[in-house]
Amino acid sequence: MWCPSTLSLRCFSFLKPYPSSYRNSNYRKTTTATIPIAGCCLNSLMETAKTTTDEFNVGIFSYVSQLPGFHAILKQRYSDFIVNEVDKDGIVVHLTSLEVPPQIVEAIQEGEKEILNQIGKSYTVEIELFRSLAGDSDAERLEAFITQVATQSEDNSYIYPIILSPNSDKAHRTAIHNFFKEKFKFLVTDTVDGPDASRKCIRVRLKSGVHSNRVRNFKKLKDRGDQPFDSRGSNNWPQHLGKFLRFHLYKENKDTHEAIGLIGKMLGIQPRSFGFAGTKDKRSVSTQRVTVFKQHASRLAALNDRLIGIRVGNFCHVTEKLLLGQLLGNRFTITLQGVVADSEDTIKMSADSLGKRGFINYFGLQRFGIGYMPTHLIGAALLRGEWKSAVSMILDPREGERDVVRKAREYYKESGDIEGTLRQLPRNLIAERAILQCMKKCPGNYLQALKAIPTTLRMMYVHSYQSYLWNHAASVRVQKYGTDEVVVGDLVYFKGDDTERETLGVNSECEDDSCDDMYDCSNSDPTSGTHHPERKNTHVKAATAEDISLGNYTIDDVILPLPGSRVSYPTNDIAKVYHDLAKKDSINLAESVHSIKEFSITSITGRYRRVFQKPMALEWELLLYTDGSIPLAEMDLEKIAKDKSKHLFKEEKRANGNEDKNPSDCMRQPMSFQNDIHPSTDHNETEDERGLGKSQSNSFCDSTSQGAQMALKLSFTLPASSYATMAIRELLKTSTSRKFRKTVTLEEFVSLLLFLLVLAGVGAFFLVLQLFTDKNYQMKLIS
């Protein structure tokens, strides 16, 4: 079914042929030519192709099922992509409260009372002891500071920190720090730069939270001597409270680093004070857990009125910081708008297949970036030891970037002026800035410049190359041996091994649909540098003919390695895919051409990854809508607002005697809940989540019967190592590359062209008719 009115909104299929070197008779040749939609020219499309990483180029070109798929729009609005983290206990993380729990308020108040009681006492003895430790000038400075604190009025005036005398003796500075910890519980010390490189100064300030005006301790840097406060906080934290405040971070259309950076700036603390389990996609609405070191919940809660697109809540104190990888996965609620299919049965069959058979567990395009220079190419250069080439790949101009970034790159390429480039280069380009700052100090030392990139970021390039090889191997495995049975030589985990699989998947790697663009998300890969418990090779075996005849393993057990020094390869010809592709890139997977371990394939441990992944607790429903600007899935913030007004709404209905249905109930109408797929049940699902997928009425509001469009809303859980976009790709049989979201098939283009020609013909007919009925024109013809 084709509808011209929805043509410009749709996302269309594009399948490319398998590489000739691996093509076989079983491959289904389904190449489809594409033409840009009306309003776009072919040259524009070609330029887009040059600036976008394509699925085919990174090994993504197979599907599990042979179903035709259907058309729909992925991420038309960021609210169409909702992500809720699933913690280690299997609990789906939601924002349910913005208030500080009373027990936390009481605990903080008790601790503050204890500290406030210390301020009014005399510290003559302690100051004299400090005089013998630090000298007269610092003792007098401290005495004046304590007097100011003790006599402070309640006018909310800011008490500025004091800086003690420069000190080059680290042991002596440590003794001073310890003295304050023991004798002055209401003060905090940290170390700041001194007048020269060899000497540091100790800064003393009033502990955050003391007096009502302490919420103003996050004043601008210029009021702190241009140096932020130490993110480690006070060591005089109340004993009855955990040192880390954990909260739920809700954000709309912002990546995790951006949101946390903004909160840290408003609190006056450094980013390293925060911890989180994984970054979430920028173009989404997401909720995740975050920890921050020694901060009061009231300070964060107070930010909610000032934050835009960000909310924090569900506060509690814990004893440990969240680390990357400390999650089971993510619960996705994805709305596909502008659905166009031959019938509802087509959608049902595709959804059923996704639930029963799953999808190929590819690393999505986010893993490789979507810029002109894919990250796996940089990773290949690093593995070859081509340091200068890798630096150039990171720094050189590239197409498709914002003007400010493009101009900065071009300026450096032409002038070599590092200082001038750094002034122009946006601060979110972390890798580029780190390289330039290092090259300013060590000109020509390209290896040192690469090592200046933060560890989690620079390892992204090598991990990206591993993913590139894995994707190709997975595609070959599917094309050559199908998706139904285990074959001799496939890698599997030993049956009966307690460590063979986790709750949500074989692979413990921390990766989610986290970045729409690597370079727009602070150039960071949330998976890199994360500690993952590696599986021993003794847990892995190649399936034998006996295993297959006995039915010991199923297709769900098949795994493939990410190359490294401690992994085994399949004993069938899939192993050749890894070595052949690496050889084309002049890389030997068994040997390293240099001694830099972090950029050496033989020094990387490697790991295993499930080839096929099934969405867990998959639920879906078809919706009709008339206004694409209205979100079709309820977000956490909406639920909070609804809960607050629920009681008031009921009271108003009782008072007015009006029990009629709310008119807004017709805004979102279920068309069908025909999902029979329930592979697992999440006992932590909310009541709303359990309601999805149940049989519902097929009734509609009369107002939606005309001009309505169809949407498909899906909810499912994936392990942290899997990409939701790859599940949607399997469902729609549509590339997730951005360039194909603006294309239509040749058949559809011809149909559109014919439609436009008909319109043009009708218009020309009426124009001619008008001319010939015009009396003036008739007189001209006669004359």
Side-chain angles (χ1 to χ4, degrees):
M1 181 177 67
W2 174 71
C3 176
S5 64
T6 62
L7 187 62
S8 62
L9 296 176
R10 292 158 50 190
C11 192
F12 299 95
S13 300
F14 187 90
L15 303 178
K16 285 197 173 185
Y18 191 72
S20 57
S21 58
Y22 294 114
R23 190 174 298 149
N24 64 81
S25 58
N26 295 326
Y27 177 68
R28 181 169 60 98
K29 297 180 180 180
T30 53
T31 305
T32 306
T34 60
I35 302 293
I37 61 174
C40 300
C41 64
L42 185 60
N43 290 337
S44 175
L45 178 63
M46 297 303 293
E47 289 303 313
T48 303
K50 293 179 181 179
T51 61
T52 311
T53 300
D54 177 55
E55 287 183 350
F56 185 73
N57 296 332
V58 294
I60 304 172
F61 45 79
S62 297
Y63 295 96
V64 169
S65 78
Q66 300 298 313
L67 293 173
F70 52 93
H71 301 318
I73 313 165
L74 175 62
K75 294 187 181 181
Q76 179 172 342
R77 294 170 52 84
Y78 64 80
S79 56
D80 291 339
F81 202 88
I82 300 175
V83 187
N84 291 88
E85 190 170 272
V86 180
D87 68 15
K88 281 290 189 181
D89 296 323
I91 299 175
V92 181
V93 176
H94 287 279
L95 182 71
T96 59
S97 173
L98 303 177
E99 309 299 329
V100 180
Q103 58 269 30
I104 292 183
V105 176
E106 293 174 2
I108 294 296
Q109 288 176 346
E110 290 178 7
E112 290 181 354
K113 286 179 182 178
E114 181 181 350
I115 294 176
L116 286 171
N117 291 336
Q118 299 176 13
I119 294 179
K121 62 178 287 188
S122 172
Y123 284 94
T124 304
V125 175
E126 287 79 358
I127 290 175
E128 290 305 315
L129 291 174
F130 183 70
R131 189 185 306 276
S132 62
L133 177 65
D136 292 338
S137 60
D138 284 345
E140 291 172 2
R141 194 175 290 120
L142 176 61
E143 184 176 18
F145 183 72
I146 292 176
T147 301
Q148 181 186 9
V149 171
T151 58
Q152 179 199 30
S153 63
E154 293 299 326
D155 61 358
N156 282 346
S157 60
Y158 183 75
I159 297 180
Y160 288 89
I162 60 171
I163 306 295
L164 303 183
S165 302
N167 191 337
S168 59
D169 188 345
K170 185 176 181 180
H172 187 237
R173 294 199 305 269
T174 301
I176 294 176
H177 285 302
N178 291 333
F179 182 86
F180 276 93
K181 294 175 188 176
E182 180 183 354
K183 303 296 184 181
F184 300 101
K185 303 290 186 182
F186 58 95
L187 299 179
V188 180
T189 61
D190 61 355
T191 303
V192 297
D193 293 333
D196 53 63
S198 64
R199 294 188 295 172
K200 301 285 186 179
C201 295
I202 291 178
R203 178 170 52 183
V204 183
R205 72 179 190 275
L206 189 61
K207 182 181 177 182
S208 177
V210 179
H211 288 318
S212 61
N213 66 329
R214 291 290 57 79
V215 295
R216 298 186 60 185
N217 264 347
F218 53 85
K219 293 179 75 68
K220 295 180 180 180
L221 289 180
K222 65 181 182 180
D223 294 331
R224 303 180 190 158
D226 292 324
Q227 297 188 61
F229 292 146
D230 192 326
S231 63
R232 292 173 296 180
S234 169
N235 284 288
N236 302 313
W237 191 257
Q239 295 295 324
H240 53 285
L241 282 180
K243 292 184 179 181
F244 295 92
L245 174 68
R246 191 179 70 197
F247 60 94
H248 291 180
L249 170 64
Y250 169 94
K251 59 183 183 61
E252 298 179 358
N253 204 30
K254 291 179 175 59
D255 66 68
T256 304
H257 294 284
E258 178 185 359
I260 287 178
L262 181 59
I263 293 172
K265 183 177 181 180
M266 296 174 74
L267 291 175
I269 59 177
Q270 299 176 45
R272 68 171 180 261
S273 297
F274 295 91
F276 50 89
T279 61
K280 309 303 175 191
D281 199 327
K282 176 179 180 179
R283 189 165 176 78
S284 69
V285 176
S286 66
T287 306
Q288 66 185 110
R289 299 162 302 147
V290 178
T291 56
V292 60
F293 188 65
K294 290 184 178 178
Q295 290 294 319
H296 293 307
S298 58
R299 293 193 66 197
L300 272 80
L303 301 180
N304 281 325
D305 293 335
R306 303 165 55 197
L307 291 167
I308 299 175
I310 301 173
R311 292 293 184 273
V312 292
N314 293 85
F315 303 102
C316 68
H317 284 275
V318 295
T319 57
E320 295 182 353
K321 177 181 181 178
L322 270 173
L323 301 175
L324 285 173
Q326 291 182 337
L327 76 165
L328 281 185
N330 296 284
R331 181 74 180 171
F332 295 92
T333 302
I334 299 174
T335 304
L336 301 174
Q337 297 200 34
V339 172
V340 179
D342 294 333
S343 67
E344 187 178 330
D345 287 339
T346 300
I347 300 172
K348 183 181 187 303
M349 286 190 297
S350 296
D352 287 353
S353 175
L354 179 63
K356 290 177 180 177
R357 304 183 64 188
F359 58 95
I360 304 173
N361 198 21
Y362 286 125
F363 289 94
L365 292 181
Q366 300 94 321
R367 182 74 161 183
F368 308 95
I370 61 171
Y372 179 67
M373 182 54 62
T375 53
H376 72 279
L377 297 183
I378 301 174
L382 294 174
L383 293 174
R384 291 191 297 265
E386 298 173 356
W387 317 129
K388 183 176 181 180
S389 177
V391 168
S392 296
M393 289 180 180
I394 297 172
L395 293 180
D396 279 356
R398 56 190 66 169
E399 299 178 53
E401 287 191 310
R402 293 175 296 160
D403 285 343
V404 62
V405 178
R406 177 181 53 79
K407 290 178 180 178
R409 293 185 188 277
E410 290 175 350
Y411 175 79
Y412 178 72
K413 185 78 172 179
E414 295 171 0
S415 67
D417 178 10
I418 295 178
E419 286 287 358
T421 306
L422 286 171
R423 284 194 295 268
Q424 299 179 44
L425 205 62
R427 293 192 173 275
N428 68 304
L429 297 181
I430 298 173
E432 288 84 347
R433 295 185 64 87
I435 287 175
L436 290 172
Q437 287 168 350
C438 181
M439 291 181 65
K440 182 172 63 174
K441 299 177 182 177
C442 309
N445 193 335
Y446 298 104
L447 175 59
Q448 191 65 30
L450 290 166
K451 287 186 174 183
I453 302 173
T455 304
T456 56
L457 178 53
R458 67 175 180 262
M459 288 306 298
M460 171 189 70
Y461 304 118
V462 175
H463 290 172
S464 178
Y465 188 76
Q466 290 176 294
S467 305
Y468 164 79
L469 296 180
W470 190 98
N471 278 359
H472 278 279
S475 288
V476 174
R477 168 61 181 79
V478 171
Q479 295 289 349
K480 197 172 184 72
Y481 298 117
T483 61
D484 297 321
E485 297 178 349
V486 181
V487 298
V488 174
D490 277 339
L491 289 183
V492 293
Y493 284 105
F494 279 124
K495 286 291 186 181
D497 191 330
D498 292 336
T499 62
E500 67 175 320
R501 52 173 95 229
E502 297 178 344
T503 305
L504 288 181
V506 169
N507 193 304
S508 61
E509 187 179 5
C510 168
E511 175 88 44
D512 51 41
D513 263 319
S514 56
C515 253
D516 220 26
D517 184 341
M518 281 295 181
Y519 290 94
D520 283 344
C521 293
S522 303
N523 270 353
S524 61
D525 181 350
T527 71
S528 306
T530 307
H531 173 72
H532 304 292
E534 296 293 345
R535 304 179 187 279
K536 298 179 181 178
N537 285 350
T538 53
H539 296 156
V540 176
K541 64 171 290 185
T544 63
E546 182 182 3
D547 290 326
I548 295 172
S549 64
L550 294 174
N552 290 337
Y553 299 98
T554 68
I555 193 67
D556 295 331
D557 295 312
V558 177
I559 58 176
L560 282 173
L562 280 89
S565 61
R566 293 176 57 189
V567 298
S568 300
Y569 291 91
T571 57
N572 51 36
D573 53 3
I574 302 304
K576 192 171 183 293
V577 179
Y578 288 93
H579 297 287
D580 286 352
L581 282 175
K583 186 177 180 180
K584 290 179 180 178
D585 294 324
S586 301
I587 295 172
N588 188 329
L589 297 180
E591 299 178 4
S592 180
V593 297
H594 57 77
S595 60
I596 309 303
K597 290 186 176 181
E598 61 183 308
F599 300 141
S600 169
I601 196 70
T602 57
S603 298
I604 299 173
T605 304
R607 60 180 71 91
Y608 299 94
R609 180 178 176 87
R610 184 194 296 270
V611 176
F612 303 99
Q613 180 64 53
K614 293 179 181 178
M616 283 149 285
L618 172 64
E619 300 162 338
W620 62 272
E621 62 177 325
L622 285 171
L623 306 170
L624 289 181
Y625 67 96
T626 55
D627 188 351
S629 64
I630 299 176
L632 299 177
E634 192 172 46
M635 296 168 283
D636 285 354
L637 204 58
E638 289 180 326
K639 294 177 183 178
I640 292 177
K642 182 181 293 186
D643 290 341
K644 285 184 177 181
S645 61
K646 188 175 182 180
H647 178 72
L648 180 61
F649 181 70
K650 287 183 178 180
E651 290 298 325
E652 288 179 350
K653 286 207 300 183
R654 291 193 187 99
N656 298 331
N658 180 14
E659 298 293 336
D660 294 337
K661 184 174 70 171
N662 188 353
S664 64
D665 292 342
C666 294
M667 296 295 291
R668 296 192 288 256
Q669 289 297 327
M671 180 175 179
S672 174
F673 291 78
Q674 307 258 342
N675 178 24
D676 299 324
I677 308 303
H678 297 284
S680 64
T681 302
D682 187 349
H683 65 279
N684 294 297
E685 287 181 47
T686 64
E687 184 175 347
D688 289 341
E689 289 171 338
R690 290 194 299 269
L692 295 176
K694 294 182 180 179
S695 179
Q696 299 286 336
S697 171
N698 248 5
S699 62
F700 295 89
C701 290
D702 293 338
S703 60
T704 63
S705 59
Q706 290 185 341
Q709 295 189 67
M710 191 186 304
L712 174 63
K713 185 170 77 171
L714 304 108
S715 296
F716 53 86
T717 301
L718 293 177
S721 61
S722 296
Y723 289 76
T725 50
M726 293 296 100
I728 300 301
R729 173 185 178 273
E730 175 68 34
L731 183 72
L732 302 180
K733 300 299 186 296
T734 302
S735 172
T736 58
S737 177
R738 285 183 177 180
K739 66 181 177 181
F740 295 120
R741 298 181 191 177
K742 297 182 179 180
T743 64
V744 300
T745 63
L746 179 61
E747 178 185 358
E748 292 166 327
F749 176 75
V750 171
S751 299
L752 175 61
L753 183 61
L754 291 174
F755 177 74
L756 294 175
L757 288 174
V758 170
L759 289 180
V762 172
F765 172 77
F766 281 105
L767 178 60
V768 172
L769 181 64
Q770 184 179 7
L771 286 174
F772 277 94
T773 55
D774 185 87
K775 293 183 179 180
N776 293 331
Y777 185 73
Q778 292 175 357
M779 293 298 295
K780 290 181 180 179
L781 287 177
I782 294 173
S783 62

